[in-house]
Amino acid sequence: MNKKFRGTRITIFGSAMPFEGDKEYETAYNLGRLLTLNGFEVVSGGAEGTMDAISKAAFDAGAEIITGVTLKQFADCTNKYVNNNIECDELFVRIEKLMELGDAYVVLPGGTGTLLELSAVWEYINKGFSEHKSIVCIGEFWKPLVDLVDNRMIFDLSLIHI
């Protein structure tokens, strides 16, 4: 195990689309490496794209535990670096498990699945269904959404950091 492990898990949400060599993949890899080297355990959806990058980075940085929370329907997409796979039968159960495992959340650019994950985390925290945790969105990708919500509703935007 990483000798500096703090007992803190960071759940990272992101797209399954980027491949090694893509900017989004490299960003995820660098994030996973920095978190692991600084004593955090990383948790992801355990599949391809940014989830693969996070897991590979943790593996390369010497993490003993690399957690992926996958869907049974996509078992063949689990990346090879995950050594602690939690398989779920349903999408919302998977999202709840990813939320439960994280002490904080990082949201990378993604599609509708990542949007669903961001929305679920944000709403659970906002409504008090989950203890106060921080959400960090990497890059400017999510800023228009956060700005839209800020202009239309009264939410605790201190939860979201771009």
Side-chain angles (χ1 to χ4, degrees), residues 44-47 68-72 74-75 78 85-89 94:
S44 77
V69 182
T70 61
L71 274 172
K72 189 176 197 174
F74 300 111
T78 303
N85 186 37
I86 301 167
E87 191 175 83
C88 300
D89 290 328
R94 177 180 173 263

Side-chain angles (χ1 to χ4, degrees), residues 17-117:
M17 296 303 174
F19 294 101
E20 197 164 352
D22 294 343
K23 182 182 177 192
E24 287 181 22
Y25 186 99
E26 299 308 319
T27 297
Y29 181 89
N30 290 330
L31 173 66
R33 185 174 186 283
L34 286 171
L35 288 171
T36 301
L37 290 175
N38 283 284
F40 296 98
E41 182 182 330
V42 295
V43 177
S44 77
E48 301 165 333
T50 56
M51 297 167 277
D52 179 75
I54 293 295
S55 302
K56 182 178 191 294
F59 177 83
D60 290 349
E64 184 176 302
I65 300 171
I66 302 169
T67 301
V69 182
T70 61
L71 274 172
K72 189 176 197 174
Q73 298 91 324
F74 300 111
D76 58 329
C77 296
T78 303
N79 72 64
K80 65 183 179 184
Y81 303 102
V82 169
N83 60 17
N84 179 34
N85 186 37
I86 301 167
E87 191 175 83
C88 300
D89 290 328
E90 299 175 24
L91 178 61
F92 287 103
V93 172
R94 177 180 173 263
I95 292 171
E96 286 179 342
K97 182 52 97 174
L98 285 161
M99 290 170 37
E100 173 191 319
L101 290 172
D103 295 304
Y105 310 102
V106 173
V107 185
L108 297 168
T112 56
T114 311
L115 174 61
L116 179 61
E117 293 160 341

